[in-house]
């Protein structure tokens, strides 16, 4: 395969991207040069002929999105952003992978202007791209199509992305929904870290994506004219998402490393860099930018500016209603009195928190237009279907409800994409046990500081008969361990209302709900109780700060703690009961406030799950009551007896220790 | 679609399976009746015409394996096991989903004789089936094919299984490896919990599996003659794994619920059960077994007994060498002096634990014939390729090395299948950060009590330049939280040797290794130190039990603790250093032994990750030094400075607190 050329400026741009990438990796003495080299031509074609971007308006809501799913090729996107005029000076490219630079090893949204999503963990970008493309259609259905909302998504992915199950799940749903504003280029280089893809990857990717309902075409990734024609055709085709299989040679132009895994994950090395530059007639000085390299980007930005102006005019011409819709979507608007509004419908009763939450969610859907989402085929059980909200389906994107199918991980990556659009506060729902299936996406929500709601129900062994495969034990702490993820496990209607208010007010990170399958009793609270205290993370339900014992519980165990306190009181003990719906928020309180809430008594934690994190809280003299083993298949009442989580058993443990 | 019949006894068997399932769910008042009803005919066909089973020899190594990937249809397998004469009396079927019964909500291997794997979390069974089929071929390549090792795998899966990414990953690899001893029936009922599959699942499954390299056929699942012909053809075809798409009607025969999601996840209810039985001419009394229902199973068991006897003769006729091979595989043989043998090659030096571990693993491969495995396309980085071990490939299964591709979750489910075969101690390797991608499989290893080794490298932010998407922070504790999973984070060569010895001796559960990317110093130990103490989980490296301070560290931070201790000593402090390579094992020690190891000084933990679990260990007066935030992209040395994990920074923190 030889490489063609196109026109002078285009060629300058391609080579500049290629060698900036090479030089960045070389300067860092780590990184991935081969893929940016191979993809430079395709990427420049996308950026200078298709992508709608305005460097000085990186937040323009209707900009096209460029997703580099193979995030290890990050120098590609940094080089493009630099040439395109985004706020990324050459000095930052020289500080690739250094502390405090704008050019981390993998692209990070929010960290580098112009980066649309954080990628690196493979497959996630494919799901983000599906979510972003879906968001474009959903925004258009709500607020109007072109020129307001018709952005496209251009994604580039690798073998690794397409081997990952999360990409399979998302691609299947993308095909199902007919997202024809998504064009994905598959960098078919047949090379992975361990050698050639023949080792483990002989499937027919084209046939697989055709099976998903994608339009599939093939192109020689190093033939600019063919790439141009193929991309033009892909962009123009309607009805289906498009996959363009581009045969490329990793590290193209590197005399000894081209086409081998040696070009993948390490600098080329001084000698190879020189030889590559010499062969390309390129100056040896690092970080050289060819004179005309910026031209094609500037032309494209100019075209895009006109579209941006058109967008602004259209936005300003909107009638008040429509404009409010747009503003509420893009602002992720939440009413100031949200908590009060939710309390008004909370309706305390003996009820499962998943059912209470369903009622609150219905109200949230009325109050928060940007709130959309769905379940991984468990809406009947998680009760998260928005009644009267309509269903999103192929060609019909006005609905509030998404059916993700039994694809938790795909759901996670797609809700992240919806959030990344800037127009939606999305939720994804399944059983708490299956949070494990989507954990990499949840982590990325937290890392990207996106407002995503994970509504997990069936939150303990009290799932009951389904048994240990369906009973979360370690999951609450495993989620609390993720930085910037708030886990809320409410105990009754008021706490559910506070949980929803907390998640919707929290703009800079995801919130996971843990909701019960089983009915829970409504809780009595001190007179004049301020529900905002719930959002602090913990508060006293009863008892004095100097009580002998303080029972600290969450969710379904708060009622157990209340009963146990009564029984202990009958035995002459003074007891304080603290409900702690959000350990994460509690951790953020000042130490003095935390001490005040807990009081001075001997601490006993009660939670139907692993005790790990509670052991620190209760301290050496305390007692952590929980479940540090797998569950078992039996009715919930029997499990409570056998696992020591009835009020009577708790009292026994407390008195015996 | 109407249902055909076949012969009297066969028909009795099918209906008995169907109604035992209905009655079991009814008695439990929870469960999934519709799928067992729909699959009864196909399952009875598999069991009575193909499956090689001997009820009184459930551990016969060359038995065929039946995998019910849609584990929620558990009453199907319980009914089959009962009729087939396995140790599962009717009374156990009546105790479906009750505490202590042999019939939990989802099938659990090790709990119920005849159940081959624990299923319920969807998609996992597909991967287990691929692993089991692969193990059959790998056993044959080592110890001889028919009559010794040529078992087949019959799997049944649902829409949900095939939507899950883990199944996509495993199926792609199964096709790549040409596992023609695998026949999988897809219960294509077009119904999920939330309604019909049209909501989210419109892909062409047949085309997708053809793309993976499977042989695909279709059949009316309720036409016994067609099912017979299709299964016969699938079993006979060679060269590819086989997928049989069987169109079925969920809850077939139920007058008002057939073909609807109402038949999926709840008892039919008394009236519907009666109407269903009346329509089928079936006695209304619950748990009725038709007179001839056992006959076809008995005939099949008789045929299988002859094969079992043939197997025994062949085994007994083996020459001594071959027999030792078989015994060592099936016994998962490990030499008694393994630790000493490993210590002999440990060769302490300033070296990354991933590199030391590679050397030890190489020795393990020589000493433990059942040891096989591979990486998710990171063998170059995790250094887990067994040199000279040969690669497993399509049609060539004698190798020790598996290339899983960039499919961590598929890898997890496949290594579980290899372990379930009984002939292998498998390992799967990737970066620690990507343990999240395969967490559901790791949990199942632990729940199933299988000896699987998860070799995770690049175990902290000291991955460095790759940045926060590749830097594990919460992962060590997230893994330690999983019951019955031992996490070992060795600090040097001797600890690496102990880690491998621990994992290989531990027959009843998985072990996860956390290994460093970066070089670590070799540690000095007290004279006469017994390396078996490492396997206890923790031990003192230096300092007296009554030292003022005890620094407790793991892996790469043990060297930091040693340096910090020296610096603190220079300031007049007495310091003890405890290395704790396995917190899980330490937790299992008697309290007195734990106290003895730690000593009485103020406790300071040092680990380059979340502090959650350490906070309890160090207590209220203690100090937990770690990283409770996401990492950052920078060279490792700079990160150590910035995140406070150099010896000097540790000393500063200790003295300031």
């Amino acid at each position: 395969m030889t490489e063609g050329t196109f026109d002078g400026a285009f060629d300058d741009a391609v080579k500049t991207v290629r060698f900036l990438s090479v030089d960045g990796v070389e300067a860092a003495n780590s990184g991935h040069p081969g893929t940016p080299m191979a993809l430079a031509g395709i990427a420049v074609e996308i950026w200078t002929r298709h992508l709608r971007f305005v460097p000085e308006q990186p937040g323009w809501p209707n900009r096209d999105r460029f997703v580099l799913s193979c995030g290890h090729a990050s120098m590609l996107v940094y080089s493009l952003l630099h040439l395109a005029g985004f706020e990324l000076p050459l000095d930052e490219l020289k500080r690739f992978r250094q502390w405090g630079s704008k050019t981390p090893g993998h692209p990070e949204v929010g960290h580098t202007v112009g980066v649309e999503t954080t990628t690196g963990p493979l497959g996630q970008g494919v799901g983000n791209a599906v979510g972003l493309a879906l968001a474009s259609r959903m925004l258009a259905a709500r607020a109007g199509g072109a020129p307001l909302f018709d952005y496209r998504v251009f994604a580039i992915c690798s073998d690794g992305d397409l081997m990952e199950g999360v990409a399979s799940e998302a691609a299947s749903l993308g095909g199902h929904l007919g997202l024809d504003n998504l064009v994905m280029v598959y960098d078919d280089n047949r090379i992975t870290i361990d050698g050639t893809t023949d080792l483990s990857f002989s499937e027919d990717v084209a046939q697989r994506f055709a099976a998903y309902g994608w339009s599939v075409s093939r192109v020689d990734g190093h033939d600019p004219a063919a790439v141009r024609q193929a991309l033009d055709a892909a962009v123009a085709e309607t009805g289906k998402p498009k996959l363009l299989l581009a045969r490329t040679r990793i590290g193209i132009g590197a005399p000894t490393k081209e086409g081998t895994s040696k070009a993948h994950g390490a600098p080329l090395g001084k000698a190879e860099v020189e030889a590559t530059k010499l062969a390309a007639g390129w100056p040896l000085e690092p970080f050289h930018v060819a004179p005309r390299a910026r031209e094609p980007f500037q032309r494209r930005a100019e075209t895009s500016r006109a579209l941006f102006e058109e967008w602004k005019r259209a936005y300003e011409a909107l009638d008040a209603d429509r404009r409010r819709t747009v503003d509420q979507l893009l602002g992720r608007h939440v009413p100031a009195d949200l908590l009060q509004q939710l309390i008004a419908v909370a309706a305390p009763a003996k009820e499962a928190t998943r059912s209470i939450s369903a009622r609150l969610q219905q109200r949230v859907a009325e109050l928060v237009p940007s709130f959309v989402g769905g379940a991984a085929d468990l809406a009947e059980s998680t009760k998260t279907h928005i009644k009267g909200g309509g269903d999103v389906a192929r060609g019909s994107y006005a609905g509030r409800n998404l059916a993700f199918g039994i694809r938790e991980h795909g759901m996670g990556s797609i809700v992240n994409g919806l959030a990344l659009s800037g127009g939606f506060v999305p939720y994804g729902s399944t059983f708490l046990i299956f949070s494990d299936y989507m954990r990499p996406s949840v982590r990325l929500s937290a890392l990207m500081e996106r407002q995503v709601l994970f509504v997990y129900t069936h939150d303990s062994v009290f799932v009951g008969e389904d048994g240990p495969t369906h009973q979360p034990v370690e999951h609450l702490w495993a989620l609390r361990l993720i930085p910037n993820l708030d886990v809320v496990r409410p105990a009754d209607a008021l706490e559910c209302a506070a949980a929803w208010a907390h998640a919707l007010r929290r703009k800079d990170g995801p919130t996971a709900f843990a909701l019960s399958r089983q009915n829970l009793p409504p809780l009595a609270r001190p007179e004049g109780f301020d529900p905002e205290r719930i959002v602090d993370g913990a508060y006293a339900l009863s008892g004095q700060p100097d009580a002998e014992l303080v029972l600290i519980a969450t969710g379904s165990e708060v009622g157990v703690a209340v009963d146990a306190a009564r029984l202990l009181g009958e035995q002459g003990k003074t007891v304080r009961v603290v409900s702690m719906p959000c350990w994460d928020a509690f951790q953020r309180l000042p130490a003095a406030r935390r001490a005040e809430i807990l009081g001075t008594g001997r601490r006993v934690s009660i939670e139907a799950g692993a005790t790990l994190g509670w052991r620190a809280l209760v301290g050496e003299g305390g007692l952590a009551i929980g479940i540090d083993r797998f569950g078992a298949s039996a009715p919930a009442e029997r499990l409570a007896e056998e696992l020591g989580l009835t009020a009577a058993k708790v009292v026994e443990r407390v008195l015996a220790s």
Side-chain angles (χ1 to χ4, degrees), chain A:
Chain A
M1 195 179 308
T2 61
E3 203 195 10
T5 57
F6 217 71
D7 70 45
F10 186 90
D11 206 45
D12 275 4
V14 172
K15 283 188 175 156
T16 301
V17 167
R18 185 169 292 160
F19 287 111
L20 285 178
S21 299
V22 166
D23 291 338
V25 172
E26 214 62 24
N29 197 27
S30 83
H32 300 76
T35 298
M37 291 169 81
L39 292 175
I42 295 168
V44 169
E45 177 71 17
I46 290 172
W47 275 67
T48 62
R49 293 248 315 163
H50 295 286
L51 203 73
R52 296 171 186 158
F53 66 88
V54 178
E56 66 278 15
Q57 295 288 347
W60 173 29
N62 200 37
R63 70 192 181 278
D64 285 343
R65 266 64 165 188
F66 177 73
V67 172
L68 184 68
S69 189
C70 40
H72 56 269
S74 54
M75 272 306 300
L76 177 67
V77 75
Y78 299 143
S79 303
L80 292 163
L81 288 170
H82 171 71
L83 290 184
F86 283 78
E87 201 185 311
L88 195 68
L90 212 51
D91 276 350
E92 289 291 344
L93 274 62
K94 295 177 183 171
R95 299 183 60 228
F96 181 47
R97 296 180 152 236
Q98 302 309 304
W99 179 265
S101 81
K102 291 288 175 202
T103 50
H106 294 81
E108 296 176 29
V109 65
H111 185 86
T112 311
V113 172
V115 167
E116 298 288 0
T117 177
T118 298
T119 49
L122 291 170
Q124 302 290 336
V126 175
N128 297 164
V130 167
L132 280 163
L134 176 59
S136 177
R137 294 298 184 225
M138 290 173 68
L139 283 166
R142 283 155 175 75
L148 267 182
F149 290 108
D150 67 340
Y151 73 77
R152 291 92 45 91
V153 179
F154 294 88
I156 296 185
C157 68
S158 61
D159 299 305
D161 288 296
L162 297 191
M163 288 194 229
E164 291 286 4
V166 59
S168 302
E169 296 177 17
S172 179
L173 197 63
H176 177 78
L177 293 173
L179 299 172
D180 57 5
N181 56 337
L182 171 59
V183 176
M184 187 158 76
V185 175
Y186 162 38
D187 175 30
D188 184 13
N189 65 18
R190 309 209 177 162
I191 289 295
T192 65
I193 292 176
D194 285 345
T196 70
T197 52
D198 299 347
L199 282 171
S200 58
F201 195 54
S202 53
E203 63 170 57
D204 183 335
V205 171
Q207 187 181 7
R208 172 154 71 98
F209 272 75
Y212 293 144
W214 288 51
S215 171
V216 180
S217 55
R218 294 175 194 274
V219 71
D220 172 353
H222 300 306
D223 177 343
V227 167
R228 177 154 300 180
Q229 191 183 20
L231 272 172
D232 284 354
V235 169
E237 190 185 340
T238 57
K240 294 176 173 187
K242 277 84 57 158
L243 182 74
L244 182 56
L245 291 89
R247 278 289 284 128
T248 66
R249 288 184 70 74
I250 193 165
I252 189 163
T256 74
K257 296 189 173 176
E258 174 182 313
T260 76
S261 54
K262 284 178 197 153
H264 174 80
L268 293 181
K270 192 164 181 289
E272 184 87 357
V273 170
E274 284 191 13
T276 310
K277 288 183 176 175
L278 283 172
W282 198 252
L284 293 185
E285 51 153 334
F287 298 100
H288 172 73
V289 175
R292 302 185 56 198
R294 297 178 207 277
E295 280 179 25
F297 292 92
Q298 283 160 349
R299 283 198 296 271
R300 186 70 203 156
E302 209 40 52
T303 312
S304 300
R305 265 177 211 110
L307 293 169
F308 171 69
E309 293 301 330
E310 194 187 344
W311 182 87
K312 250 176 55 182
R313 283 193 300 275
Y315 168 75
E316 278 154 14
L318 287 173
D319 64 38
D321 270 7
R322 197 37 81 97
R323 187 155 172 173
R324 193 173 49 247
T325 300
V326 174
D327 290 347
Q328 291 199 334
L329 288 171
L330 298 179
R332 291 179 280 149
H333 173 78
V334 171
D337 63 347
L338 178 67
L339 179 54
Q340 290 313 317
Q341 296 241 34
L342 292 177
I343 290 172
V345 297
K350 187 170 169 63
E351 195 176 4
T353 48
R354 63 173 166 147
S355 305
I356 300 166
S357 175
R359 198 158 56 241
L360 295 166
Q361 185 195 302
Q362 192 65 26
R363 186 77 185 121
V364 164
E366 292 160 19
L367 296 169
V368 182
S370 60
F371 180 76
V372 298
D377 194 55
L378 285 172
E380 284 293 312
S381 298
T382 64
K383 299 180 181 285
T384 48
H385 195 268
I386 299 170
K387 291 188 203 80
D391 295 321
V392 170
R394 168 189 293 266
S396 163
Y397 306 102
R400 307 289 287 275
N401 294 291
L402 297 163
F404 289 105
I406 302 160
R407 306 184 183 96
E408 298 82 8
H409 205 176
M411 174 171 75
S413 65
I414 291 170
V415 292
N416 283 349
L418 291 170
L420 287 161
S421 77
F424 294 103
V425 175
Y427 71 92
S429 180
T430 183
F431 291 165
L432 179 58
I433 187 90
F434 300 130
S435 60
D436 276 352
Y437 269 76
M438 55 192 293
R439 196 168 162 88
S441 299
V442 175
R443 186 178 207 261
L444 280 166
S445 298
L447 177 60
M448 296 193 291
E449 302 181 353
R450 297 301 123 171
Q451 186 176 20
V452 177
L453 278 59
F454 298 106
V455 183
Y456 296 129
T457 68
H458 296 62
D459 71 344
S460 73
V461 294
F462 299 129
V463 163
E465 293 89 343
D466 274 345
T469 59
H470 282 57
Q471 292 168 338
V473 169
E474 70 277 22
H475 299 73
L476 290 168
W477 281 112
L479 289 170
R480 289 177 185 135
L481 272 165
I482 297 176
N484 198 37
L485 172 69
D486 274 9
V487 179
V488 189
R489 189 167 187 248
D492 74 346
L494 198 66
E495 289 195 7
C496 283
W500 278 95
H502 177 72
L504 287 160
R505 289 174 187 169
R506 189 170 186 257
K507 302 275 186 195
D508 58 352
T511 302
F513 294 6
L515 303 170
S516 77
R517 175 197 184 204
Q518 75 278 23
N519 287 340
L520 306 182
L523 300 171
R525 289 188 178 75
E527 213 162 315
F529 177 77
D530 175 4
E532 288 289 346
R533 293 290 70 76
I534 298 174
V535 183
D536 289 348
Y539 64 97
L541 266 174
S542 64
Q544 297 307 312
D546 62 350
E548 290 162 80
L549 284 164
V550 52
L551 305 184
I552 305 151
T554 77
S556 51
E557 284 64 65
V558 177
V560 176
V562 169
D563 290 347
R566 188 175 35 76
L567 295 172
L568 287 161
E570 287 167 13
Q571 304 212 24
K573 300 274 180 194
T574 59
V575 186
R576 183 172 173 87
V577 175
V578 168
S579 178
M580 193 177 285
C582 185
W583 177 86
D584 305 274
F586 180 75
Q587 290 295 111
R588 292 192 291 264
L589 294 179
R593 179 83 192 103
R594 291 205 301 270
E596 193 187 335
I597 291 169
L598 293 177
T600 54
R602 179 183 177 223
R603 296 176 186 171
V604 177
S605 70
I606 317 171
E607 184 173 77
T611 59
L612 188 74
W614 297 116
R615 291 185 224 167
L617 189 81
V618 300
E620 278 147 75
L623 176 65
I625 297 178
I627 304 173
D628 290 308
R629 49 158 283 184
F630 290 112
S633 172
E637 300 71 26
R638 181 66 184 269
L639 287 169
E641 277 295 328
E642 298 286 347
L643 301 173
L645 283 160
T646 61
K649 295 271 182 185
V650 165
V651 169
E652 229 172 80
R653 289 276 310 272
V654 169
L655 295 178
S657 65

